[in-house]
Amino acid sequence: MNTEFQKIDQAKFRFVNESERLHDKKFDDKPVGYFKDAWIRFRKSRASVVAAVIILAIVLFSFIAPICIKGHDQTFMVTTYAKKPPRITLLRDLGKKTGYSNRSFSARSLMKALSTGVGALDYAGNEQISFEAAMGSDYMPILEITGESKSVGADKSEVTTYMADIETYLEVGFIYKSIEQKELSNILAWEKEHGKHILYPLVENNEYCLDATDANYWYKSDAKGNPLTYNAKGTKLIKVKEYNPAFVLLDNYKRDADGNPIYYEFTGGGSVDTAQYKIRVLYINYYEYQYGEEPNYFMGTDAQGRDLMLRLAGGIKLSLLIAVAVSVINFILGALYGSTEGYYGGTVDLIMERISDILYDMPFIVVAALFQIHLAKKVGPIPSLLFAYITTGWIGTASRVRTQFYRFKNQEYVMAARTLGAKDRRIIWKHIFPNSLGTIITSAALVIPATINSESMLSYLGIVKLGSAQHTSLGTLLSDAASIWTNYPHLMFFPALTLSLLMICFNLFGNGLRDAFNPALRGVE
Amino acid sequence: MRMLKYVLKRIALMFFVLFVITTICFVLIRILPRELPMEKSQQELILARWEALGYNKPLLVQYGIYWKNIITKWDFGTSWYIAYRKPAWDLLVSRLLPTVLINVYSLIFSVPIGLALGVYAAIKKNKWQDTFISTMIIVFISVPSYVYAFLVQYIFYFKLGWLPLQLYSVADAGNTYFSWKMFHSMIGPILAMSFGEIAGLCRFSRAELTETLTSDYMLLARTKGLTKAQATARHALKNAMVPVLPSIIGSFFAIMSGSLIIEQIFSVPGVGQLYMRSINTFDYDVFMLDSLFYTFIGLAGGIVIDLSYGFIDPRIRMGER
């Protein structure tokens, strides 16, 4: 390397660019600011983008679901169809099983379930339809017998247990209704128009009818519910204990003198308008007549018989609303408090820190419980829950803002601003606060999953009661399902899945935000 | 000496904060409306009881009585609804054992697994094992603990039938919490609690170890001839454990307060369940004591964590300026 710079001849020196003057060139591309920089970094983290998309999808779902369901809304409630699994008519039209659960049956209960489908087909009460022939019809609750096993029962006789997929909506079968004259004529008109039957023959209340209030016992049975049939000679009724696909049930319908079944019975009331009738309806068709649609619940129904999907959509909305409100309010309070103590320091800082210390050390569960007991009756459960969150929630944000203020308040640019005569307020909000914005936004984003989680926990524990006909929260849905979900897993599955997804995605999203705003923290959890 | 001064200062501060929170809780609880039962004979009895307990005196006098009873007789009030006329303190103490037991089991189960997974992920950083474990951490940390509880109940009770749905009562399990039968029924809540703990510990230890693995003294250790395994075991691991161990000690301390929701789901007769029942039955003395208990555990846990740093790594002196 040539190091003999001293010996260059002076004559060799000349000015660079003697002819033109040098200027700083203007940048051709747009400047990349703090937020743009963060956005570029955020975009690169694939997991966070996916999480953001899923969050967006869940939020969209909560708004679109009520629009897509035309027939009913969140408050719509049919108690007869409570706790039913998802039933999607589209799937059924495609030939898939829907709205069913797999259960075990004894021969007797299997025959009772089958009888509902047979009865629905045998409208006039004169067709001899066997179990086999009724299988696969639109009204047959037993979709498929998936297996059978034999075991020895208590009385040492052999007992057969069947496993079968049963359509729980059709399982409801027939019910008795008491209606007025006007509705009766409406039903008859509807039947004619749609070609479907709602009214089915009434059942004789005699020794062959096991339970006069259960409209599904339309066949002749003994006192234990075993179906009866004639013996080989046709002289005597004998009970049937074994399931036989070719078996034909004997109907126990009420008939008039000519042997035609009776479909409605006058029970009281004087004039034409107020006359009361007892009828026996096939509930699935009656439902269609009442609400203008077949039962179609994408996530099944809840414990009261409301559409779980719409309840879930409402729950997501309320939970997110609470979480976002808490996050925004904490953001504002924390920023105000933290910047005041951070900027002024000294005694102000000392006193304000002790106050937030004490609030911070109060367990949240205690605060929430006290607020619920004191305030819930006066201002309602949602505002009092918000108060509880706000009482202690801002402390984290405040301490972060405070740290940032300590970092920046003695920097040269702040001193310059102060020398130029800027007021405290201007220095705080124009010069220092924007520098701490990244940290606070990240913490505000992470407040959302924390709030959703603790809200659902409080609702689940019953400390907060947010459920009502109009609104519900994710935690309330879980808490409603808590005692019965073992028999109806869908009640727990959908809310728990949504909640878990939301939590995972918000955490990923928050981590992505943090990495984007503070690249130095990347990888440090 | 400086250490002792620091400890004393922290403890004094703790009692001050505890005192303030006690005051707040006391006032908020005592000004709650009290309801009389419908029956006439009962009403007289309860009115007489309130009079005797000083509920009709000014609030400040009531507060004085409350402290006097605690200091002179260690009397935190009486439970009137959950366990009739049983002192609140005795009630709390009797609920402590199952809570602590389940939490200790859960820690014993989750600490080794969490640490091992965290260390493994850190060593395999940026390989597929690390990616897999990190993804699992995010999933397991985000999902609320009661979802695990449902999963555990669903899989181990309904599908497999290996575990009971809820905790056996003490009478069923041979009048002791230490019987094999009791432990069997505790496996459910232990499992449900452990998932989150494992994930949390794994995340923490992984983050700490990755940081130490890239530090300068590791480079020095490698240059002086140690193998990677030797350097990791002797230098990185020790330094990484400095913040991890206090957090484990902290959770050993915090386990007293238990998990409200897990106790509710598995019907564990613990402190959390007592708290829920005291809220629902308005058993105010128990509610008050339990609130104090939670506050105390939180405060004391903080001190223990801070102090343990100094014991684990003598280079760290707490309270230094």
Side-chain angles (χ1 to χ4, degrees):
Chain A
M1 201 192 283
N2 182 19
T3 50
E4 292 172 21
F5 293 120
Q6 293 94 341
K7 291 183 183 171
I8 303 169
D9 189 7
Q10 193 158 18
K12 281 186 179 169
F13 283 104
R14 64 185 171 83
F15 287 109
V16 182
N17 296 336
E18 231 169 335
S19 51
E20 52 178 315
R21 298 188 62 181
L22 277 176
H23 285 289
D24 280 347
K25 267 187 197 156
K26 215 180 168 189
F27 287 119
D28 287 336
D29 48 354
K30 280 182 192 160
V32 176
Y34 181 54
F35 282 96
K36 178 122 195 247
D37 193 31
W39 167 237
I40 290 170
R41 273 194 293 266
F42 181 78
R43 252 184 345 200
K44 274 188 193 149
S45 137
R46 226 178 305 153
S48 322
V49 175
V50 171
V53 170
I54 296 178
I55 293 172
L56 210 66
I58 292 177
V59 173
L60 273 181
F61 160 79
S62 76
F63 282 97
I64 288 177
I67 299 171
C68 289
I69 304 295
K70 290 200 182 64
H72 52 269
D73 62 0
Q74 210 196 129
T75 52
F76 174 83
M77 188 166 100
V78 180
T79 37
T80 317
Y81 282 154
K83 302 173 212 153
K84 298 291 180 202
R87 180 182 201 265
I88 305 159
T89 40
L90 190 72
L91 270 184
R92 201 208 39 205
D93 295 342
L94 290 172
K96 298 260 184 350
K97 287 188 253 184
T98 181
Y100 69 96
S101 62
N102 191 284
R103 287 213 300 264
S104 65
F105 293 88
S106 67
R108 191 198 300 156
S109 61
L110 181 72
M111 282 194 275
K112 191 190 170 192
L114 284 164
S115 79
T116 313
V118 176
L121 285 186
D122 192 7
Y123 173 71
N126 50 17
E127 298 169 53
Q128 299 286 309
I129 300 172
S130 69
F131 290 145
E132 216 168 20
M135 283 297 264
S137 89
D138 274 354
Y139 301 117
M140 174 51 95
I142 299 288
L143 299 174
E144 189 186 358
I145 296 170
T146 51
E148 54 178 277
S149 58
K150 291 191 191 318
S151 60
V152 178
D155 54 349
K156 289 187 181 166
S157 64
E158 198 172 65
V159 181
T160 317
T161 313
Y162 298 89
M163 293 302 292
D165 290 336
I166 179 161
E167 222 271 33
T168 48
Y169 291 80
L170 293 174
E171 191 194 0
V172 171
F174 305 97
I175 59 171
Y176 287 119
K177 281 254 162 207
S178 184
I179 55 165
E180 287 185 359
Q181 174 72 50
K182 205 172 137 214
E183 203 181 346
L184 181 64
S185 30
N186 282 347
I187 290 177
L188 291 171
W190 190 90
E191 278 189 337
K192 211 168 261 171
E193 190 188 329
H194 289 79
K196 288 179 178 175
H197 297 297
I198 295 175
L199 298 183
Y200 276 78
L202 293 167
V203 177
E204 201 81 59
N205 187 9
N206 52 18
E207 78 256 42
Y208 303 125
C209 177
L210 182 71
D211 183 354
T213 58
D214 185 347
N216 285 324
Y217 281 114
W218 60 269
Y219 52 91
K220 285 197 170 98
S221 61
D222 69 356
K224 277 183 177 171
N226 293 312
L228 297 172
T229 189
Y230 286 105
N231 61 0
K233 287 182 199 158
T235 51
K236 214 176 125 202
L237 284 168
I238 52 166
K239 68 181 171 189
V240 180
K241 289 189 101 171
E242 300 294 320
Y243 163 65
N244 173 11
F247 180 66
V248 179
L249 291 161
L250 283 179
D251 73 63
N252 192 22
Y253 291 148
K254 252 183 199 158
R255 289 171 200 276
D256 58 14
D258 302 332
N260 295 321
I262 296 168
Y263 293 95
Y264 48 87
E265 196 172 49
F266 179 74
T267 52
S271 69
V272 179
D273 289 336
T274 58
Q276 295 276 326
Y277 291 95
K278 181 188 182 184
I279 54 169
R280 179 168 164 267
V281 296
L282 182 63
Y283 193 74
I284 196 135
N285 282 349
Y286 185 73
Y287 181 98
E288 203 180 334
Y289 152 76
Q290 260 193 319
Y291 306 113
E293 55 170 6
E294 263 191 83
N296 189 24
Y297 299 103
F298 285 91
M299 292 182 183
T301 58
D302 72 358
Q304 280 82 41
R306 300 195 188 97
D307 189 340
L308 187 63
M309 185 167 83
L310 297 181
R311 295 292 280 175
L312 186 64
I316 294 169
K317 260 188 251 171
L318 185 67
S319 287
L320 275 180
L321 193 73
I322 291 175
V324 171
V326 166
S327 163
V328 168
I329 296 171
N330 284 345
F331 180 89
I332 295 169
L333 279 182
L336 284 174
Y337 198 90
S339 51
T340 313
E341 54 179 358
Y343 184 75
Y344 292 105
T347 325
V348 177
D349 183 33
L350 196 75
I351 294 170
M352 288 174 92
E353 267 296 274
R354 290 294 82 73
I355 295 174
S356 61
D357 267 358
I358 288 171
L359 281 177
Y360 180 78
D361 285 326
M362 265 185 104
F364 178 69
I365 189 95
V366 175
V367 177
L370 282 174
F371 266 96
Q372 281 304 313
I373 297 172
H374 271 283
L375 269 177
K377 271 181 198 154
K378 285 177 205 151
V379 296
I382 298 172
S384 74
L385 182 66
L386 278 182
F387 275 123
Y389 276 116
I390 290 159
T391 315
T392 56
W394 51 268
I395 295 166
T397 317
S399 79
R400 275 189 201 91
V401 177
R402 176 174 170 267
T403 324
Q404 296 292 322
F405 265 72
Y406 267 106
R407 235 175 89 191
F408 293 117
K409 75 174 178 184
N410 290 324
Q411 301 236 327
E412 286 79 3
Y413 66 90
V414 176
M415 211 197 290
R418 192 174 292 135
T419 322
L420 288 171
K423 289 204 178 70
D424 281 353
R425 210 170 65 188
R426 188 180 165 80
I427 295 175
I428 291 177
W429 299 121
K430 261 288 192 230
H431 294 285
I432 309 180
F433 186 68
N435 276 313
S436 54
L437 208 54
T439 335
I440 317 172
I441 288 177
T442 310
S443 74
L446 285 172
V447 163
I448 295 178
T451 309
I452 293 176
N453 187 25
S454 63
E455 179 272 320
S456 57
M457 195 189 85
L458 289 174
S459 308
Y460 183 85
L461 288 172
I463 295 178
V464 178
K465 294 175 183 77
L466 294 178
S468 76
Q470 273 73 39
H471 54 73
T472 183
S473 75
L474 286 174
T476 315
L477 284 175
L478 288 175
S479 129
D480 288 347
S483 51
I484 47 171
W485 71 277
T486 47
N487 290 326
Y488 313 99
H490 71 281
L491 286 179
M492 185 58 87
F493 177 76
F494 292 109
L497 182 74
T498 314
L499 188 69
S500 307
L501 258 182
L502 269 180
M503 297 291 298
I504 294 171
C505 290
F506 265 112
N507 280 332
L508 277 175
F509 178 72
N511 286 352
L513 270 189
R514 192 203 48 211
D515 291 349
F517 280 115
N518 308 306
L521 284 178
R522 191 190 308 247
V524 182
E525 299 296 307
Chain B
M1 200 54 211
R2 189 196 278 157
M3 193 69 182
L4 188 71
K5 206 174 151 193
Y6 174 72
V7 173
L8 288 179
K9 205 172 125 192
R10 281 296 300 268
I11 290 176
L13 196 68
M14 178 187 97
F15 276 107
F16 172 70
V17 174
L18 195 63
F19 178 76
V20 174
I21 294 177
T22 313
T23 314
I24 297 173
C25 286
F26 183 86
V27 172
L28 285 176
I29 289 172
R30 276 295 157 95
I31 59 173
L32 283 173
R34 283 186 298 272
E35 277 171 31
L36 277 172
M38 297 301 279
E39 273 179 70
K40 274 268 156 36
S41 57
Q42 287 273 312
Q43 277 185 6
E44 270 172 35
L45 185 79
I46 283 176
L47 279 174
R49 184 204 293 162
W50 286 352
E51 180 66 38
L53 289 171
Y55 280 16
N56 300 329
K57 296 199 175 79
L59 210 57
L60 208 63
V61 180
Q62 289 186 35
Y63 194 47
I65 295 173
Y66 186 70
W67 274 113
K68 197 186 90 188
N69 281 341
I70 292 175
I71 292 166
T72 55
K73 292 183 279 186
W74 199 248
D75 175 12
F76 286 88
T78 313
S79 162
W80 296 107
Y81 300 100
I82 296 172
Y84 186 62
R85 290 187 65 185
K86 194 170 178 184
W89 176 258
D90 292 359
L91 194 61
L92 183 77
V93 170
S94 70
R95 296 298 189 101
L96 220 48
L97 183 63
T99 300
V100 171
L101 214 55
I102 286 182
N103 282 280
V104 167
Y105 286 147
S106 150
L107 269 187
I108 292 173
F109 178 64
S110 53
V111 166
I113 298 179
L115 280 183
L117 283 177
V119 169
Y120 183 70
I123 292 170
K124 298 272 175 190
K125 187 158 171 59
N126 292 334
K127 298 206 177 102
W128 69 266
Q129 294 98 329
D130 176 43
T131 321
F132 178 73
I133 291 179
S134 303
T135 318
M136 283 292 116
I137 287 175
I138 288 278
V139 172
F140 277 95
I141 254 183
S142 307
V143 174
S145 62
Y146 46 89
V147 174
Y148 299 130
F150 298 135
L151 277 179
V152 166
Q153 283 186 335
Y154 191 73
I155 295 171
F156 291 104
Y157 174 72
F158 284 100
K159 288 290 161 198
L160 302 173
W162 290 353
L163 299 175
L165 186 61
Q166 292 177 326
L167 217 66
Y168 292 130
S169 69
V170 190
D172 274 350
N175 286 323
T176 167
Y177 281 107
F178 295 98
S179 65
W180 173 245
K181 197 175 172 191
M182 200 60 175
F183 179 74
H184 178 233
S185 71
M186 278 179 179
I187 293 175
I190 292 169
L191 273 183
M193 261 184 216
S194 296
F195 288 114
E197 270 172 39
I198 291 175
L201 201 60
C202 183
R203 176 163 85 163
F204 198 25
S205 50
R206 175 186 168 273
E208 290 300 329
L209 192 58
T210 32
E211 212 184 310
T212 47
L213 278 176
T214 51
S215 52
D216 293 338
Y217 58 78
M218 279 300 288
L219 198 64
L220 178 72
R222 291 301 303 280
T223 30
K224 77 180 181 193
L226 294 184
T227 63
K228 198 177 175 195
Q230 280 174 328
T232 308
R234 289 184 201 167
H235 295 278
L237 214 53
K238 271 187 186 169
N239 277 302
M241 285 307 117
V242 170
V244 176
L245 283 182
S247 81
I248 296 175
I249 294 172
S251 40
F252 255 110
F253 214 78
I255 53 177
M256 302 273 191
S257 52
S259 164
L260 283 171
I261 204 149
I262 298 285
E263 290 192 3
Q264 194 80 355
I265 293 173
F266 289 96
S267 72
V268 178
V271 186
Q273 202 198 38
L274 182 70
Y275 192 64
M276 292 311 305
R277 284 181 63 187
S278 71
I279 291 174
N280 291 331
T281 55
F282 298 108
D283 209 338
Y284 290 139
D285 284 344
V286 180
F287 178 59
M288 175 82 201
L289 178 63
D290 223 339
S291 301
L292 275 192
F293 177 73
Y294 278 126
T295 316
F296 176 77
I297 293 293
L299 290 168
I303 294 182
V304 169
I305 292 172
D306 277 358
L307 293 184
S308 58
Y309 274 105
F311 286 112
I312 291 163
D313 189 349
R315 290 172 301 176
I316 301 172
R317 293 248 180 80
M318 274 332 212
E320 249 179 15
R321 288 190 181 270

